[in-house]
Amino acid sequence: MNTGRWVLVGLLVLVLFLAGVYDAQIFGFLTTAWQKVLSAVGLSRQAELLQQGVHGGVTHRALPAVLTYAAFYIALCLLLLRLLVHDPLQWRLVLQLYAGIIAAYVLIVAIGKLAGDAVWAYRLSRHLIDFLVGPLPIAGLLVLFRAGLGPQSTDSRMQAK
């Protein structure tokens, strides 16, 4: 990999690290920003009603702030993985795994809601999203791919030999 790509990888790792360390401050900023935006467009009451419908097992923070933080963090993780995973089949697997975990999260939250605010479902969904919005998926996937596990395209297998 060229030097510029390594610098970008290092910067992304640093940003992800800092996002984890300063998450409370980031959530505070995002909550205030979303309150101002929603108030400016006249949707603050609707946002309050939506927040009241969110069980505490899912999140205690403002929903728009949580969604923004999660989307930002996952986007950075995917960008980092894109820089480090060159095989097209492995990259497709990365996308499928992230999409699958997000879909499972949404499904489990919906089941929890339909089951009358089932606490077990909210706990499970919380663990799932905490896993996804963290460094473990990146580290795990990279270790597995570097160990030769997971799919490999024909071109990648030829280069490895």
Side-chain angles (χ1 to χ4, degrees), residues 41-119:
V41 295
L43 294 175
S44 57
R45 180 71 183 135
Q46 289 83 349
E48 288 172 16
L49 291 173
L50 178 64
Q51 188 69 36
Q52 289 173 358
V54 176
H55 188 274
V58 176
T59 185
H60 294 286
R61 295 184 165 132
L63 197 55
V66 170
L67 292 173
T68 303
Y69 180 86
F72 173 72
Y73 198 97
I74 291 170
L76 289 177
C77 289
L78 289 173
L79 180 57
L80 179 60
L81 282 166
R82 186 67 196 124
L83 290 170
L84 295 171
V85 175
H86 303 290
D87 187 287
L89 292 177
Q90 291 175 347
W91 175 242
R92 185 179 314 158
L93 179 62
V94 166
L95 294 176
Q96 289 170 343
L97 288 172
Y98 269 81
I101 292 171
I102 291 169
Y105 168 77
V106 170
L107 180 64
I108 293 168
V109 169
I111 289 170
K113 196 69 162 165
L114 292 172
D117 286 335
V119 175

